[in-house]
Amino acid sequence: MTWELFLLFFQQSLMSGLVTGSIYALLALAMVMIFNTTDVPNFGQGEIFMVASYIALVLLVFASVPYLVMIPLTLAAVFFGGAIFQRLVLKRVALARGASVNLVIATLGLSYFLKGVMRQTGIAEVPRSFPALFPTDSVSIGMATATVQDFAILGLALAAMAAFFLFFHFTRTGRAMRAVGMNPRAAILVGVDIERMRWLVWGLSSAIAALAGILISPKLLMTADMGIVVILGFAAAIVGGFTSLPGAVVGGFVIGIVENMVGLFVSSKAIVVAPFLAIMLVLLLRPQGLLGGKATAKKV
Amino acid sequence: MNAPASLLAIENLTVRFGGLVAVDHVSFEVKPGSIHALIGPNGAGKTTVFNCISRFYQPATGALRFGEHDLLTKPRHRLAELGVARTFQNLELFGELSVFENVLIGTHSQARRTGWLDLFRAGNRPGEHRDRIEHALEQTGIADVRHVKARALDFGRQKMLELARALAVRPTLLLLDEPAAGLRNREIDALDAMLVKLCRTDGLTIVLVEHVMQLVMSISDWVTVLNFGTKIAEGTPAAVQANEQVIDAYLGREQADV
Amino acid sequence: MKRATLAVVILLALFALPMVASGYILYLANLLMVFVVLSLGLNILIGETGQFGLAHAAFYGIGIYTAVLLNNATGAPVLVTLLAGASLAALIGLVLGAISLRMRDIYLALSTFAFGEAVRWVFASWTPVTGGPNGLRINPSNLFGFKLVTDRDAYLLVLVVTLAFLLLTIQITRSRLGSAFRAVRESEIAAAAMGVNVRGVKIAAFALSAFYAGAAGGLFTTFSSFIHPESLGFMTTIMVLTMIVVGGLGSVVGAVGGALILGLFSELLRQLLSFQEIIYGAILMLCMMYAPRGLMGLLERKQAGR
């Protein structure tokens, strides 16, 4: 490989990695939020992401709803879907037997249920493409090229993350959510309504996954199996330590850039397996994540 | 070779959690066949010492000798085999399993002694283990609930089950972490008699961490007092009760006065 | 002894089945027995030991490919190919168990899930050996010189091996090793204090569970003529997980019952992937909501209520 080519690949994977990485960061953020407040890694998130993308597609293409209406409609629908799942299913599961493994099994159930339902509707029978929300004209930065759409994705994702940061730090509800994540018992003691926080977090997290779906769908081929993308969100969350929101964001960009580098420098075939290897390696070498704190010993 | 005067010897034990020194150069010895109490205010490091002896915590420095064994060279699951059994402050029962199976697992280390094939044999068949289990159930008065799930027992019986499970290990050294905590007076009296019998009749050596002074003072042969991770006194119950420093520690008077 | 009589009647019926049943019924019976071995294996890991490993389909696949490749290349006796597949799966399970020791609960679920997907990728990409996405033809297995061509030929072998695994499972469950598995599930701390080698027991559970899955894979090759990597993905692990969840985690009878019920479902709905997904998904959610101990739990509750 020549130096020229190396530079080109390097800059290109950095550029593309930032764009896809911003989506992984959103997905990881959504995952970590739920894990912090309800102690479940949401194995159904991929399918929430998938269903949200299809809702957006149906509104946009079949119902001809304008963009600016479609986006809030989709987010609201998915928000309530997530909240209802928590209220109706998870709350009941926790009552029946509180083990976190049972909650995980329930989210696995959600994942397959949604996938089957979406297949059954027939919309997902043929692979579809999502109309681009922004122009796809190329723009060059250094040696790398990207489209206007890419910049829009990156910009909107960053704006959403900034909004969440503000929400978590400067609103009562956002602070309460963080408090529940850090120490549920203490949060209850200071008067946080933990049940309300749980369904709010599920709704919010689902809406973030929906936003990620709307943003990235124009770059993907839509099928009922497109939720597999979320595995990269999982990888990002693990890299970030699985409990840290800033860690999730950094992890998202790390995974995005590494994925693109593997694709360009190694082989496109290896991209498929890379996230799984990344998950295993990180869990193996640093179970607390690359950015997480020291693992704490269990008190006897 | 002379038999050592102590069954358990703790020398210069120091445990650190991050920057915090939880136990600071503590030494004491436990005589075989005695009941040895470890007392002190909350946070004095009693349970930490226990967790070192049973190998759940790794001390920063110090030595732990049990009989002729250097405990620090043994992994924690080998202790039962050597004859060290313990109970837990916050109850660590096998909740979904029956009382019988809880105690059966106490005999696990003896299966190792008799060879690996024994692992594949049924646990409830008649024999030496079975007798041992029945004996432990009888001693602790929970034989009538042997088929009940541990989770479903009342608190007092759960505590007895912890003890029965530890006895099934056939220990020479029994470590009891707050055995009387949460028990009613009548239950404490029964425990009192039971521990004395285990020690005097069955020849067990017992080390207990305890807050219930009534129990400590009535049955202990020797008391070691910890405060802020250091040993401040030891002696017979009467001597310790009269010790100025101990009274200060319990009444919370300033250490600087001493 | 009512129970013993029932067991004898069922056994006689099972051995007499080939005399009356059609080829399709025997195919179904073979397939259900493979599911039984699979779910018995996963039950040891998740139900008994409480280790949330999600790589079962990968071990199943390792068993299948090992048996097929050995059979196609050497024509070795079926018991050899079966044992080879199961042993290789167990060996890899042992390694996975050993490197996963530091993880628990969800981290274990994630890393074993990732391992399973990576192995599936190997099956789908290692074209010179596994045939890659085109799949691999399975030559008839060889049992003492006989060629097992039809489902009828393979039935008795599958039945005997399945029964052997069932007996082995019952023995393990009742043994001290079984008690040690459950002790680790209930409290690792107390288990260690009672002299249970927690690490060793976890690794043993992983290896044993993988051995079952590998053997199930070997059994599959005796009556099937084709293997495709598509059928060895996470969906298969989820199917087996659903079986043991429906039956009741930690119950041998439950694992067998769950495998039979859901195995029938999955075969009847084979052409309808969407229905399969909806049903598995709904069952997993509903079980966790209303019957976290599965059918066995419901039965126990009913008996206790009377």
Side-chain angles (χ1 to χ4, degrees):
Chain A
M1 183 180 283
T2 63
W3 177 242
E4 277 295 279
L5 194 62
F6 174 83
L7 271 185
L8 170 67
F9 277 11
F10 185 78
Q11 293 185 18
Q12 186 61 49
S13 47
L14 213 57
M15 182 65 235
S16 313
L18 282 176
V19 175
T20 42
S22 68
I23 298 299
Y24 302 152
L26 281 180
L27 292 169
L29 208 57
M31 190 101 50
V32 168
M33 275 172 69
I34 284 189
F35 184 68
N36 277 350
T37 37
T38 52
D39 236 3
V40 206
N42 181 7
F43 272 89
Q45 199 188 40
E47 281 58 44
I48 295 176
F49 164 90
M50 179 271 292
V51 169
S53 306
Y54 273 106
I55 293 177
L57 179 77
V58 168
L59 286 175
L60 200 61
V61 177
F62 294 79
S64 311
V65 175
Y67 286 130
L68 287 179
V69 183
M70 175 278 279
I71 294 176
L73 264 183
T74 308
L75 296 188
V78 176
F79 176 92
F80 283 111
I84 287 170
F85 176 73
Q86 198 281 325
R87 294 300 284 173
L88 237 57
V89 180
L90 287 187
K91 204 178 155 201
R92 175 74 224 168
V93 174
L95 277 178
R97 200 179 180 193
S100 74
V101 165
N102 291 35
L103 296 166
V104 173
I105 293 177
T107 68
L108 280 169
L110 173 72
S111 146
Y112 278 84
F113 185 77
L114 288 179
K115 216 192 272 190
V117 168
M118 190 45 77
R119 260 192 247 283
Q120 195 55 33
T121 60
I123 301 169
E125 206 147 324
V126 288
R128 291 173 191 276
S129 47
F130 196 96
L133 302 185
F134 297 94
T136 48
D137 307 322
S138 298
V139 183
S140 295
I141 292 188
M143 297 168 86
T145 47
T147 63
V148 175
Q149 173 175 266
D150 287 338
F151 283 106
I153 292 173
L154 180 59
L156 285 172
L158 285 174
M161 286 178 233
F164 276 109
F165 178 81
L166 295 177
F167 170 74
F168 278 125
H169 282 267
F170 297 108
T171 68
R172 242 184 102 76
T173 315
R175 281 189 194 156
M177 277 181 190
R178 285 204 312 153
V180 172
M182 282 184 251
N183 188 342
R185 235 181 274 170
I188 294 171
L189 282 180
V190 297
V192 173
D193 180 351
I194 194 164
E195 277 305 317
R196 184 167 155 268
M197 286 307 135
R198 287 196 171 131
W199 68 256
L200 268 176
V201 161
W202 265 85
L204 206 56
S205 159
S206 305
I208 298 177
L211 180 67
I214 295 171
L215 288 177
I216 198 71
S217 282
K219 288 177 69 102
L220 297 175
L221 194 62
M222 293 181 72
T223 69
D225 295 309
M226 69 188 275
I228 192 72
V229 169
V230 171
I231 194 65
L232 290 149
F234 258 118
I238 288 172
V239 167
F242 224 84
T243 50
S244 145
L245 295 171
V249 172
V250 176
F253 287 112
V254 168
I255 291 288
I257 291 166
V258 168
E259 181 200 23
N260 279 280
M261 288 196 171
V262 168
L264 283 176
F265 287 107
V266 185
S267 90
S268 57
K269 229 180 155 187
I271 282 192
V272 193
V273 77
F276 304 115
L277 295 181
I279 289 176
M280 286 200 68
L281 273 181
V282 174
L283 283 177
L284 208 65
L285 301 176
R286 269 183 78 85
Q288 72 274 34
L290 293 181
L291 306 161
K294 240 177 107 77
T296 45
K298 195 189 171 208
K299 196 167 185 289
V300 181
Chain B
M1 200 168 84
N2 290 327
S6 62
L7 179 68
L8 178 70
I10 289 154
E11 284 158 30
N12 275 322
L13 193 73
T14 300
V15 185
R16 292 198 190 92
F17 297 123
L20 181 84
V21 182
V23 174
D24 192 6
H25 292 93
V26 167
S27 306
F28 63 91
E29 297 195 347
V30 177
K31 290 198 175 60
S34 69
I35 298 183
H36 190 126
L38 204 54
I39 66 167
N42 279 327
K46 308 176 299 279
T47 297
T48 307
V49 170
F50 250 46
N51 285 336
C52 283
I53 302 172
S54 52
R55 300 290 288 124
F56 283 93
Y57 292 165
Q58 182 68 27
T61 60
L64 290 170
R65 186 181 53 74
F66 171 69
E68 70 269 28
H69 304 287
D70 174 5
L71 286 188
L72 292 180
T73 63
K74 311 280 181 197
R76 69 176 77 138
H77 65 269
R78 295 295 296 277
L79 293 194
E81 207 175 321
L82 299 178
V84 181
R86 71 168 287 181
T87 65
F88 294 87
Q89 190 179 336
N90 301 317
L91 296 181
E92 282 284 344
L93 291 170
F94 306 121
E96 290 295 317
L97 307 185
S98 71
V99 166
F100 183 87
E101 194 168 4
N102 267 273
V103 182
L104 169 72
I105 292 163
T107 66
H108 191 85
S109 58
Q110 289 140 48
R112 275 191 64 133
R113 272 178 224 162
T114 49
W116 275 99
L117 254 188
D118 201 40
L119 274 179
F120 290 95
R121 299 211 181 98
N124 58 354
R125 71 201 174 108
E128 195 195 345
H129 298 323
R130 177 95 201 197
D131 296 345
R132 182 68 216 159
I133 296 166
E134 293 301 334
H135 187 57
L137 288 172
E138 293 293 341
Q139 272 179 306
T140 49
I142 51 172
D144 54 326
V145 287
R146 71 182 68 210
H147 297 302
V148 179
K149 272 186 188 176
R151 187 182 295 281
L153 294 179
D154 61 61
F155 185 75
R157 282 181 157 167
Q158 287 187 334
K159 285 235 140 182
M160 285 303 120
L161 178 53
E162 279 254 333
L163 188 57
R165 193 177 59 181
L167 289 175
V169 173
R170 286 175 180 270
T172 42
L173 176 66
L174 189 56
L175 305 167
L176 305 177
D177 198 350
E178 303 203 14
L183 293 186
R184 285 167 293 206
N185 276 336
R186 191 169 45 80
E187 291 170 324
I188 292 178
D189 290 341
L191 180 69
D192 190 326
M194 196 186 303
L195 295 184
V196 170
K197 184 169 174 294
L198 283 172
C199 185
R200 306 289 177 256
T201 316
D202 301 339
L204 258 67
T205 307
I206 299 176
V207 180
L208 66 153
V209 162
E210 192 48 81
H211 277 298
V212 179
M213 283 305 137
Q214 168 203 346
L215 183 79
V216 171
M217 295 308 167
S218 66
I219 67 172
S220 303
D221 300 309
W222 200 254
V223 181
T224 300
V225 190
L226 297 183
N227 193 22
F228 294 112
T230 51
K231 183 170 86 174
I232 57 171
E234 66 179 329
T236 60
V240 162
Q241 264 173 308
N243 184 302
E244 275 290 319
Q245 257 187 307
V246 176
I247 296 167
D248 287 349
Y250 271 88
L251 295 181
R253 224 183 288 164
E254 285 297 313
Q255 287 292 300
D257 294 354
V258 182
Chain C
M1 285 302 287
K2 261 173 83 183
R3 260 181 147 177
T5 328
L6 188 68
V8 170
V9 170
I10 292 177
L11 265 183
L12 286 177
L14 283 174
F15 277 101
L17 191 67
M19 291 178 229
V20 290
S22 68
Y24 176 71
I25 298 283
L26 290 175
Y27 161 73
L28 202 59
N30 285 339
L31 196 64
L32 288 181
M33 287 192 280
V34 168
F35 288 148
V36 166
V37 177
L38 275 174
S39 62
L40 286 176
L42 193 60
N43 187 50
I44 289 178
L45 186 63
I46 297 184
E48 291 274 89
T49 320
Q51 302 301 304
F52 208 50
L54 292 177
H56 216 52
F59 295 120
Y60 180 48
I62 289 167
I64 292 178
Y65 280 109
T66 309
V68 172
L69 292 170
L70 202 59
N71 178 54
N72 287 5
T74 66
V78 62
L79 287 177
V80 172
T81 63
L82 199 138
L83 206 62
S87 305
L88 185 62
L91 191 69
I92 296 175
L94 191 111
V95 174
L96 183 68
I99 63 179
S100 305
L101 275 177
R102 287 168 69 185
M103 300 165 214
R104 39 167 69 215
D105 299 341
I106 56 132
Y107 293 98
L108 185 64
L110 281 171
S111 73
T112 50
F113 160 74
F115 172 80
E117 290 300 293
V119 170
R120 199 245 303 247
W121 182 81
V122 171
F123 293 151
S125 316
W126 199 8
T127 313
V129 175
T130 65
N134 299 324
L136 196 60
R137 277 202 62 78
I138 307 174
N139 294 341
S141 310
N142 155 18
L143 179 67
F144 308 125
F146 290 101
K147 291 276 175 226
L148 304 178
V149 180
T150 64
D151 289 299
R152 196 174 294 274
D153 297 340
Y155 177 79
L156 281 182
L157 172 76
V158 178
L159 178 61
V160 169
V161 173
T162 305
L163 287 176
F165 270 99
L166 188 60
L167 288 179
L168 176 69
T169 312
I170 293 172
Q171 185 56 32
I172 288 175
T173 311
R174 286 184 181 166
S175 73
R176 315 176 65 81
L177 183 62
S179 286
F181 283 153
R182 290 186 288 277
V184 168
R185 177 189 74 198
E186 296 291 322
S187 164
E188 289 184 20
I189 291 169
M194 295 304 124
V196 175
N197 180 349
V198 175
R199 290 159 159 267
V201 161
K202 281 185 184 175
I203 294 176
F206 262 101
L208 202 57
S209 164
F211 185 83
Y212 277 62
L219 283 182
F220 176 82
T221 65
T222 62
F223 61 91
S224 305
S225 53
F226 197 74
I227 176 62
H228 193 273
E230 191 109 292
S231 59
L232 298 171
F234 194 51
M235 178 76 179
T236 303
T237 299
I238 289 296
M239 184 183 70
V240 183
L241 176 68
T242 313
M243 288 170 181
I244 61 174
V245 165
V246 165
L249 287 174
S251 153
V252 174
V253 182
V256 173
L260 296 180
I261 296 170
L262 277 149
L264 270 177
F265 256 129
S266 80
E267 182 56 24
L268 294 176
L269 301 173
R270 190 155 55 133
Q271 302 302 328
L272 296 163
L273 180 60
S274 56
F275 274 126
Q276 272 192 51
E277 287 172 339
I278 293 174
I279 287 176
Y280 292 157
I283 287 178
L284 285 179
M285 286 191 283
L286 288 172
C287 266
M288 287 299 111
M289 288 163 75
Y290 299 106
R293 273 169 249 261
L295 295 176
M296 290 314 288
L298 289 182
L299 277 179
E300 265 174 41
R301 213 187 301 167
K302 213 173 161 191
Q303 277 172 353
R306 268 181 198 162

